[in-house]
Structures are given as C-alpha cells and as structure tokens.
Amino acid sequence: MPRITEARGQADGLVLRWDNGAESSFPWFWLRDHGQDPESLDPATLQRRVDTFALDEDISGKESKVLDEGRALAVTWLDDSGVESRYSADFLAAMSGFSSEEPGERPDLAPRLWSAARKLPAIEPVPHAEIGDGSAGLRRALQQLQRDGFVVVEGAPTDEASARALFGHFGYIRETIFGGLWSLSAELHDHEDTAYTTQYLEPHTDSTYCHDAPGLQCFLCQEFDGKGGESVLVDGFALAEELRAEQPEMFQVLSEVSVPGRYIEPGVHLRSEHPAIRIDDKGRLRQVSFNNYDRAPFLLEPARMKAFYRAYKDLHSRIVARDNWLTIPLGPGMALIFDNWRLLHGRLGYSGKRVFCGCYHNHEDYESALRTLA
Ligand SMILES: [Fe+2]
C-alpha cells in the first residue's frame, strides 16, 4: 500500500500526496467523521464514537501531521474540542481508491471463475476428520469455497447430529419453511417441490422467492443405492462475465430487470424479485438469481419484454451447456457446500434410493467466517 509523502491543508479539506505519485482530497467534515483514534472509533468493534450530527458542517482542520514515515496521519481541529484525529495510511489509501475496499472489508477478493472457456476446477475433497473450529481443514474448506464457490467434504458421519455439527462450522443454520436441517428424498413428500423427485433438475439458484436468498447451501449424502443423481454445479459469475464481455446489452438488461420468484404450498406463499444478475455500484458481480421453475409472471412493454427474453435465453443456454458443468457424484458420507449467490446447482435424474440432508446459511455469516479466519 502507498505511503503519504505530504499533507496540505486547504479551505475545503486536506490534500494528500502519495509515494505512488497520486494525490487525493478529503473534506474536513469527512475526516472528522472518520477518525480512527479511540475517541472517534471503538477500537474493538469499529463502531463510530463520533457524534456526526453534532459536528459543525463547516468544521476545519487546524494542523495535520504525517507520522511514522507516511504510514499514519494526525489532524487537530479549530473547534477547541482538543481532539486529535488519527488515520492509518492504509485506510486513507483504500478510501482513495488505490484498493477496492477498506482492508478486510470484502473477503472475496480473488474468486477463480471457472467455465468451459476458462478451466473447470479440480475437486479436492477435504477430509471430515480435519474440520473443526479454527482448524486448518476448515480454513482450507473456506478458502476453496471462496476461490471456486464450492467445497466437497468426504468421510463425514451420516447421522443428523454430525451433519449439524459439520455445517455449523460455516455459520449458523438458517431456519426456513423447509426447517433448519432438512431431509431430501423422493420417498419424502414433505414439500411439493421438484427437488423432492427423481427427475433431472436443471441448474438453478435456490430461493429466488426470498428477499435474502441463502448464501450457502449444504448437502450431505446419507444414503445412495442406485444409479445417476450426480450433482451439477455451474459458475454463474463466470457465465455472467462471459455474457458481459460478449453481449454487453444483454448483460445490462439482466442486471436491470427484476424477475419475480414464488413458492406456494398449503399455508405458504413466498414471493420476492431480483435481477438475474445483481451488480454493485462499482459494477462488480454480487449475486446470480436464476430459477425458471419458480419464476412468477411479469410483463414489460413489448420491446423490453423481448429484450429480456432474448438475454434470459442466452444466459440459460450458457447455464445448460454441459461443457460448463462440473458434475460431482456424491456418495454416502460426502458433503457438498456451495455459494448459492454465485453457483447454480442441479442434479441428474436417478433411479434407486437417495437420501440427503442439507441446510442453508446466510451470506453474511459465511463472509464473516472468511474474515475471521483470514
Ligand atoms: Fe435447489
């Protein structure tokens, strides 16, 4: 990270010169609001202690000093508060756009996108015995999840208590209409959903009908005596990036049009809407939502509707292209954990008896596990 070489106070703020040759400007009010000294910011929780709304909007700095060979900055104020605000150069550099985020703020800095055009990832199962709180195995599993969007665990006990314990390492188990830890088998008729059949399931993301779709989805194969039923994974982020490069107008349509999803069974009627491709204000991919089974009706004006269907079909053709699939046969004792905001998942049709259990985690809890392990 660059260091500060000079701080120059001006009427409206402070200009910093950096050893990478760049300059950046910070308004006085912003600087007073963002002090990192203990009077301004709780050092443990990083919660703001500054009363933003009590500050004079015309507050101005009195003196600024570059400290620690450009690694830090101190500012005093003309308001007689006696406060000396402190800042690390790393923080100010990040805020200047030299890195995309405040240090540690965004854990998924380097996902390795995969597809037929790039390269499909190797499946490197992590042994169940190596996974425990704070263990090297858990760290490896989380790193694989962040990098490839999924991880396989092998040698897991197949009872429910052990499944709960395993999945609990990745976040707390989320309660949904399917329960916390749910069971999945064609023999069960708990829910009238395509997942509870033996037929081929086209790759999709789960819970397009939730305002906050689960971030991680976990499966554990408890029993399988039959043929077929391989799990299929597709990297939605890779396909979205390929669409953005090859068909930018289609990418734009899919990032703008909200697609409603719904789930209906006796006593339940869930509904939400998301663009198929959600990007943040910097254009970075945040979430892919695609489930044609659960799509609810919506109508746009004719030209826009046509553009949507064309783009949606293009994305679909990439999703069902088998070259883009990673196919994983899951046998008893194998668990699959994947990012439901990034990957789509499906299943090949099967015959015989297949019993799975699984659960969901929130994306922020998964991200929290990544940050705290980092
Ligand atoms: Fe699913």
Side-chain angles (χ1 to χ4, degrees):
M1 282 295 237
R3 297 192 186 169
I4 305 164
T5 55
E6 188 195 342
R8 212 166 60 240
Q10 298 190 334
D12 54 350
L14 190 68
V15 177
L16 298 184
R17 178 175 281 277
W18 298 86
D19 65 0
N20 62 5
E23 279 196 350
S24 49
S25 305
F26 298 89
W28 290 123
F29 190 95
W30 187 94
L31 282 169
R32 183 66 184 84
D33 189 37
H34 285 85
Q36 295 183 301
D37 48 289
E39 243 175 297
S40 306
L41 193 71
D42 185 299
T45 64
L46 301 188
Q47 285 188 295
R48 177 172 282 101
R49 284 177 170 164
V50 175
D51 183 355
T52 307
F53 310 104
L55 298 177
D56 177 355
E57 68 176 313
D58 297 320
I59 191 167
S60 195
K62 186 168 158 190
E63 200 189 345
S64 45
K65 275 184 296 194
V66 179
L67 307 171
D68 195 16
E69 296 174 331
R71 291 189 193 87
L73 176 77
V75 176
T76 55
W77 305 94
L78 285 173
D79 62 359
D80 297 328
S81 61
V83 170
E84 183 182 72
S85 302
R86 294 265 183 155
Y87 315 85
S88 75
D90 283 357
F91 168 66
L92 296 173
M95 291 295 114
S96 303
F98 302 150
S99 79
S100 59
E101 302 279 340
E102 191 177 353
E105 201 57 17
R106 190 178 153 96
D108 50 336
L109 288 176
R112 189 174 65 184
L113 303 189
W114 50 269
S115 66
R118 296 159 199 259
K119 189 176 176 240
L120 297 184
I123 300 167
E124 300 161 18
V126 177
H128 178 269
E130 293 176 19
I131 294 186
D133 276 335
S135 68
L138 180 60
R139 185 183 301 268
R140 220 162 66 238
L142 283 163
Q143 282 165 345
Q144 280 193 38
L145 256 172
Q146 179 186 16
R147 190 189 63 197
D148 299 328
F150 73 95
V151 64
V152 172
V153 175
E154 64 182 5
T158 56
D159 63 286
E160 285 197 358
S162 303
R164 243 178 250 285
L166 168 62
F167 297 143
H169 292 304
F170 296 85
Y172 71 86
I173 292 175
R174 173 164 159 175
E175 285 286 337
T176 71
I177 57 159
F178 302 104
L181 188 77
W182 32 258
S183 292
L184 186 65
S185 158
E187 282 78 36
L188 287 171
H189 296 287
D190 294 0
H191 302 278
E192 295 297 329
D193 192 78
T194 41
Y196 293 79
T197 65
T198 62
Q199 74 205 42
Y200 160 67
L201 284 182
E202 188 172 282
H204 60 277
T205 62
D206 266 22
S207 309
T208 50
Y209 44 78
C210 289
H211 295 313
D212 173 26
L216 291 183
Q217 184 164 171
C218 308
F219 288 126
L220 171 67
C221 177
Q222 294 171 291
E223 251 185 274
F224 183 49
D225 184 12
K227 281 201 170 67
E230 291 89 345
S231 291
V232 173
L233 295 177
V234 180
D235 188 349
F237 278 15
L239 303 188
E241 287 298 0
E242 287 163 19
L243 183 70
R244 169 147 57 186
E246 292 161 25
Q247 303 283 355
E249 283 157 30
M250 290 185 180
F251 179 91
Q252 194 179 344
V253 167
L254 293 183
S255 67
E256 288 172 356
V257 172
S258 272
V259 181
R262 66 180 168 192
Y263 181 91
I264 297 171
E265 65 177 39
V268 178
H269 189 150
L270 302 177
R271 185 186 167 98
S272 184
E273 53 279 310
H274 304 271
I277 299 171
R278 183 162 70 84
I279 53 177
D280 67 14
D281 57 2
K282 296 187 175 86
R284 295 173 300 199
L285 295 173
R286 296 303 285 138
Q287 187 178 4
V288 168
S289 301
F290 190 98
N291 192 328
N292 203 45
Y293 298 111
D294 294 344
R295 181 163 51 87
F298 68 103
L299 180 64
L300 305 172
E301 58 88 12
R304 186 74 164 162
M305 195 75 240
K306 189 170 181 185
F308 168 77
Y309 272 126
R310 281 191 63 220
Y312 198 60
K313 184 173 179 175
D314 188 288
L315 179 61
H316 175 261
S317 68
R318 294 168 196 266
I319 289 169
V320 295
R322 293 203 166 215
D323 292 356
N324 286 325
W325 288 8
L326 187 70
T327 307
I328 307 177
L330 290 179
M334 289 175 76
L336 172 65
I337 301 157
F338 59 90
D339 185 341
N340 185 54
W341 284 19
R342 172 178 163 191
L343 301 195
L344 298 94
H345 64 284
R347 184 195 66 207
L348 300 184
Y350 70 93
S351 60
K353 189 176 185 199
R354 184 178 184 268
V355 182
F356 272 53
C357 67
C359 67
Y360 294 126
H361 299 298
N362 293 318
H363 211 275
E364 66 270 20
D365 296 308
Y366 157 51
E367 291 177 19
S368 166
L370 290 174
R371 288 190 192 99
T372 51
L373 265 197

